[in-house]
Structure formats: C-alpha cells, structure tokens
Amino acid sequence: MPFFRGLLTRKKLFSSASAERRKKEHDCYLQNGSCVLEELLALCDGNCRIPIHYYTAIEIDNAIRHSNSKMDVAGMSMVTGLLDNRTVLVRFNKRSSSNIHRDIAITAQMSHLKNVLRLVGCCLEFEQPVMVYEYVEGISLFDLLFKKGNPYDQTRKSLLSWGNRLRVARDVASAIVFLHTEFTTPIIHKFINPSIVIIDEKSSVAKIVDFSNSISLPPGELKVVADHVSGRIGYLDPEYLQQCIITQKTDVYSFGILLFQLLTGKDMNSISRRADFTNSKERIDFEEDAKSNTEEGSAMNRLDSIILEETIDFKNLPINFVDRYIKEDNVMDIADPIILEEHGIEIQQQLEDYLDLVKKCTADKGDDRPYMIHVARELIRIEKCFRALSLG
C-alpha cells in the first residue's frame, strides 16, 4: 500500500505540473495570438496572403528533439526539425526587444516571394513565439563574405562570383521594393545588413529573414520620428542617427552599405579602421562592439543596451563610412580580389557604375538618394550588361 500511495502522489504532482504548463501555454497563445492578429489587421485588414499553419508546443518539442543541426542568423537560433514528415527550420527568438508578432505578420504576407524565407507556420504557446520556415541548405551573407573558408571550396567560390553578388543585390532589392510599395503604407525594414540574408547554396537565391524591427509609415506621411535610435552601427542612415527620422531612404542607405560590402568583401570593422576616426574613444567602442561575433555579428543584438547606457554619442560618430573609405581610390583598388581574379579589367565599367550607385545610396541627405525601385532598376541594368559581356 505505501508503494501505491507514493505512486498516486507522484501522479498528482505530474498532473498538477502538466495542468500548470497547459495553462501557461494557453495564456501565451491568447496573448500572442491577439498581438499577431492586431499586426495583420494593421497591415492588410486581416487578409493574409499565406495561411499561417499553427503548431502546438508539443509538436515543436517533438520536431527538434533529435536535432543536432543549428544555424545562427541575426540574433536568431535556427534549428533543423521534422514536422509533417518534412524538414523545416525552427526559429527561436533571442532578442526580447524585437517585435516577433510583426515579423510573423509581414513574413506571412511576403512568403510567396522567392527572395523571402518562406514561413510554414508558427507556435504561439511559448512566451516568445516560435516561427517555422521552409528548409534551405544555406549560409548567411555575413558568413559567406566575412568568415574565412577553404580557399579551394568551389561552392563558396561560385557563390562569391561577381554574377552571384549582383544576383544577391537584386534579390534583396526586390524584397525591399515590395516592402516599400505593396502594403497599405510603406514598411521600412530598418535593419538591412548581411546577417539577415540567407543564401540558398543550391539555387544561389538570396532570401531575407527577420522583419521584427520594421516600422510602417503613418498613412499619408513620408516620414516618422522614432523615440530612439536602434540598429547596427555603420548601417544607420545619418538622418536617422542624428534626428531619429525614418523614411524609405533609411533603407536605401543601409542597402547601399550592403552593396559596398558585396563589392569590397570588407566587414564594417575593416571599413571603420580605414575611415580614419578622429575620436579614439568612439573607435574603441565600435571595434569592441564589432569583434564580439567574428568582428561584427552580434552588434545589432546589443545596440539598444548601448543606447540606454549612453556609452556612445551618436551625433558625434562619423556618419558616412563609405565616403571616408573610398577617398580618391579607383574602383579596381577597392574591389574584392576574388572578383578581379575572375574577370579583371573587362568589367571595370560595370564596377564603376556599381560604385556610383553605392555613392548615390549612401549620400548624407535622404533627398539626394534614389528610391529603392530606381536602385533595383539600375542593378538589373548592370546585371544585364554583365550577362551580355559573359555571353559575348
């Protein structure tokens, strides 16, 4: 009898724990579901282009139970899992400051695009919702450009070819144009950088992931004034840095920096060192921030805390890294050697046109920058010229 009493007590405790867990999951579901619905209503009157499949917490736990494959992208942990007999990427959000509910809503609206990582479904029963994506065998653009790999890796060399770099630029530009033009009001991404771009190693298609820090412009307005600055140092629009003003041109500037990195193969730490800072304290703050994850990776994750601690005076930071880096150099002097090894002098005119586009995108004043749709058109023109040259 004592044995059975003990067994009964354990069953009651287990039942109580299960009930408590179910209640917590239910509360999270209601709260998160309400937030996602609110975002969908604001974005598209509740009409979602892609139906969002719902998974339970138990299904998510079972899906990743035996997984040993992991990929870190832009502060997110992507774990390979198995759901409905297919391989998927299960994302756990690490940043409490980001709006994961907005990310779910926007990604669902854009999942029909080939250059956005497709959302399969989500689970709302955790405190931070879990997102489930299509599986791609990919690498982040950050890792591809800045992490040293095997110099004899043919797949890597192929992904870093000039043709593929142009394709990546065009794919990312296309997604941003959609954000700016296809919603009720333009949506500004705000966090464009190589870490949010995944390159599908099989198709070479670039796919954007993470819209959690985006912001919609008010109806009828061309700008919005933010409460504070958040983002990754080096990619921030000077007008946003100094005046907290967000416009479509905010994304154009960040995209211009990404274009520059595709051309040079340099991370922001390398660019900042050459930019010849005059204030040594600012240089140290930036370099420490950049080195924390292979010289740059987690800078975005900690920038909000840096702002709160007020360790950096943003108004006194050098605001245009590209101008200081380029100086009077010829494009052939700053282009990634991998590009020049493949093509050399024959693509100099294309490289000059490309660098001219970079300069326009990274102009100090937003009014002097083109809109993303014009940037995308120019990239298509440059890519067509390259294809014609290759065929010729």
Side-chain angles (χ1 to χ4, degrees), residues 2 5 7 23 54 60 65 76 81 119 122 124 163 212 229 243 261 303 305 315 333 343 360 379 383:
R5 278 201 299 270
L7 184 62
K23 183 181 183 306
Y54 177 73
I60 296 296
R65 178 169 295 171
M76 303 174 293
L119 182 69
C122 66
L124 306 176
S212 58
V229 175
Q243 304 171 50
Q261 292 181 305
L303 187 53
S305 63
K315 291 186 178 180
D333 296 328
H343 299 289
K360 290 176 180 176
L379 285 170
E383 189 178 21

Side-chain angles (χ1 to χ4, degrees), residues 40 53 97 99 119 139 155 231 234 245 252 263-264 297 307 326 387:
L40 282 170
H53 188 93
S97 61
N99 189 338
L119 182 69
I139 180 173
T155 300
I245 294 175
V252 174
L263 172 66
T264 62
I307 295 165
I326 296 173
R387 286 181 182 173

Side-chain angles (χ1 to χ4, degrees), residues 331-333 335-345 347 351:
V331 67
M332 304 299 280
D333 296 328
D336 192 331
I338 295 175
I339 299 172
L340 302 181
E341 286 172 11
E342 182 184 9
H343 299 289
I345 197 74
I347 62 167
L351 295 178

Side-chain angles (χ1 to χ4, degrees), residues 158-176:
S158 174
L159 291 174
L160 286 172
S161 69
W162 179 236
N164 269 337
R165 294 185 201 221
L166 286 175
R167 178 174 184 169
V168 167
R170 186 239 302 157
D171 284 346
V172 176
S174 177
I176 301 169

Side-chain angles (χ1 to χ4, degrees), residues 176-333:
I176 301 169
V177 168
F178 190 95
L179 269 181
H180 288 187
T181 61
E182 296 299 322
F183 288 89
T184 307
T185 62
I187 296 176
I188 314 304
H189 190 285
K190 279 178 53 188
F191 272 60
I192 298 167
N193 64 81
S195 293
I196 64 153
V197 181
I198 296 176
I199 310 299
D200 187 330
E201 294 186 31
K202 291 184 177 178
S203 65
S204 302
V205 173
K207 296 177 181 289
I208 287 185
V209 60
D210 190 14
F211 300 91
S212 58
N213 291 284
S214 59
I215 184 171
S216 297
L217 294 183
E221 298 292 332
L222 298 176
K223 66 180 181 180
V224 62
V225 180
D227 295 330
H228 65 276
V229 175
S230 62
R232 183 177 289 188
I233 297 173
Y235 299 88
L236 296 175
D237 170 14
E239 291 181 334
Y240 177 42
L241 260 178
Q242 298 186 318
Q243 304 171 50
C244 290
I245 294 175
I246 299 172
T247 69
Q248 292 185 44
K249 305 297 183 70
T250 302
D251 280 348
V252 174
Y253 184 89
S254 303
F255 182 70
I257 300 295
L258 186 145
L259 286 180
F260 187 63
Q261 292 181 305
L262 283 168
L263 172 66
T264 62
K266 301 295 185 183
D267 61 27
M268 283 311 303
N269 195 38
S270 301
I271 294 172
S272 69
R273 282 199 299 268
R274 179 167 170 173
D276 189 27
F277 291 142
T278 56
N279 187 312
S280 60
K281 175 61 171 65
E282 288 164 3
R283 180 172 65 250
I284 291 170
D285 282 342
F286 175 79
E287 289 181 352
E288 285 180 352
D289 196 42
K291 287 179 181 177
S292 60
N293 182 9
T294 59
E295 296 188 335
E296 186 185 33
S298 64
M300 179 171 60
N301 305 342
R302 296 191 316 286
L303 187 53
D304 285 329
S305 63
I306 291 174
I307 295 165
L308 294 174
E309 293 168 9
E310 295 182 354
T311 59
I312 294 180
D313 182 356
F314 285 93
K315 291 186 178 180
N316 290 326
L317 273 174
I319 56 178
N320 196 319
F321 295 100
V322 171
D323 275 353
R324 290 171 177 250
Y325 186 97
I326 296 173
K327 297 181 181 176
E328 300 300 323
D329 286 345
N330 184 291
V331 67
M332 304 299 280
D333 296 328

Side-chain angles (χ1 to χ4, degrees), residues 97-117:
S97 61
S98 61
N99 189 338
I100 192 74
H101 309 103
R102 182 173 300 157
D103 197 2
I104 292 172
I106 293 177
T107 307
Q109 292 297 295
M110 299 181 67
S111 283
H112 63 292
L113 303 176
K114 69 174 184 179
N115 40 37
V116 171
L117 191 62

